[in-house]
């Protein structure tokens, strides 16, 4: 990669359960990019009890979208960290047209742009089961699933040997339904927005995790070439 090249900005678009987090972590390892998950950043703000976290908590429990102002402030802060200099994978952001436009403004100010948007295409119904069976390693954040991605040794994280796991409060069938509705109403229109800008790639994300990873890496290699 040329020294003076602007950091790569990659967006993963897809409903809850599409596999954004799972694939973002695999892309981080493969390409040295940094995953920025607004969901993770918001959950950290809730846990820390900040003002933003307090405002976000109720909305997140109901499966709605947190206000653009809060999400943007949190994301901008994180994007200023030096570890993002090689490039970022935005996971769960932007989620509204307003956020997409605000992102353009932020990137413009630093000579960056959205290089690629990968739309992870899935059917709705199976996403409820994906979300309901999801859990993560408390120590390193590696994601697992009761049925679809179990650790090699039961109860022990493949990545860090941790034995403590956690589930998200909003990962239940009812809230997942509300989150899917929010996705279709407010986020899915971004597919057309980015298609019009010629940066959209689509990947069949109903396939197994390894096949999806192959397709994602092929798409990213094309952009990095
Ligand atoms: P998202 O970040 O888009 O909400 P995750 O990456 O957290 O989705 O995946 C949701 C759940 O589904 C996790 O438990 C994950 O292990 C599992 N999962 C991810 N991709 C697949 C896949 N292609 N097939 C089956 N299960 C998957
Ligand atoms: P998933 O991986 O299942 O799609 P996330 O972890 O990305 O879920 O998001 C969890 C919740 O955090 C969302 O339901 C929403 O309330 C909030 N959230 C995350 N990112 C955003 C965003 N960009 N804009 C507004 N709300 C967000
Ligand atoms: Zn772990």
């Amino acid at each position: 990669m040329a020294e003076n090249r602007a950091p790569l900005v990659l967006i993963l678009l897809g409903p809850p359960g599409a596999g954004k987090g799972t694939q973002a972590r695999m892309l981080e390892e493969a390409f040295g990019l940094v995953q920025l998950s607004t969901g993770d950043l918001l959950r950290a703000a809730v846990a820390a009890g900040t003002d933003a976290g307090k405002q976000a908590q109720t909305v997140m429990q109901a499966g709605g979208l947190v206000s653009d102002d809060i999400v943007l402030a949190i994301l901008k802060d994180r994007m200023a960290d030096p570890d993002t200099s090689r490039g970022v994978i935005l996971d769960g952001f932007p989620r509204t047209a307003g956020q997409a436009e605000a992102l353009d403004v932020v990137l413009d100010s630093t000579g960056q742009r959205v290089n690629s948007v990968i739309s992870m295409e899935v059917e709705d119904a199976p996403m409820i089961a994906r979300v309901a069976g999801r859990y993560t390693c408390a120590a390193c954040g590696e994601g697992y699933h009761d049925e679809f991605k179990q650790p090699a040794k039961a109860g022990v994280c493949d990545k860090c040997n941790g034995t403590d796991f956690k589930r998200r409060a909003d990962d239940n069938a009812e809230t997942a339904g509300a989150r899917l509705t929010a996705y279709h109403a407010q986020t899915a229109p971004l597919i057309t927005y980015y298609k019009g800008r010629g940066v959209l790639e689509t990947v069949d994300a109903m396939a197994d995790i390894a096949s999806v990873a192959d397709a994602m890496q092929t798409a990213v290699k094309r952009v990095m070439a």
Side-chain angles (χ1 to χ4, degrees), residues 137-159:
C137 170
C140 76
E142 182 69 5
Y144 293 98
H145 191 280
D146 291 328
E147 206 180 324
F148 309 133
K149 189 188 165 194
Q150 298 169 351
K153 188 171 171 215
V156 182
C157 175
D158 293 341
K159 296 276 167 184

Side-chain angles (χ1 to χ4, degrees), residues 15-22 130 134 144-145 148-149 205 207-209 212:
K20 302 181 296 296
T22 303
R130 280 202 195 171
R134 162 164 64 190
Y144 293 98
H145 191 280
F148 309 133
K149 189 188 165 194
D208 60 84
I209 292 175
V212 178

Side-chain angles (χ1 to χ4, degrees), residues 88-99:
V88 291
I89 306 163
L90 298 179
D91 160 7
F93 181 95
R95 251 173 160 101
T96 64
Q99 290 179 12

Side-chain angles (χ1 to χ4, degrees), residues 10 12 17-31 33 35 89 91 118 120 130 142-143 149 203-218 220:
L10 177 68
L12 303 190
K20 302 181 296 296
T22 303
Q23 296 298 332
R25 284 176 77 95
M26 295 171 89
L27 291 171
E28 273 193 315
E29 283 178 20
F31 297 103
L33 305 169
Q35 171 197 19
I89 306 163
D91 160 7
I118 304 183
M120 303 181 66
R130 280 202 195 171
E142 182 69 5
K149 189 188 165 194
V203 162
D204 170 14
M206 287 306 295
D208 60 84
I209 292 175
S211 308
V212 178
D214 277 351
M216 305 277 294
Q217 296 196 8
T218 303
V220 175

Side-chain angles (χ1 to χ4, degrees), residues 125-202:
M127 295 307 106
I128 306 283
R130 280 202 195 171
V131 163
R134 162 164 64 190
Y135 64 98
T136 52
C137 170
C140 76
E142 182 69 5
Y144 293 98
H145 191 280
D146 291 328
E147 206 180 324
F148 309 133
K149 189 188 165 194
Q150 298 169 351
K153 188 171 171 215
V156 182
C157 175
D158 293 341
K159 296 276 167 184
C160 77
N161 289 325
T163 53
D164 201 13
F165 296 89
K166 57 184 185 184
R167 290 179 192 262
R168 278 167 46 183
D170 60 342
D171 276 351
N172 54 70
E174 194 194 349
T175 309
R179 286 155 60 200
L180 278 170
T181 305
Y183 174 80
H184 288 295
Q186 293 176 269
T187 310
L190 297 181
I191 295 173
T192 314
Y193 176 79
Y194 287 118
K195 195 172 188 177
R197 298 207 349 207
V199 290
L200 190 82
E201 302 259 0
T202 54

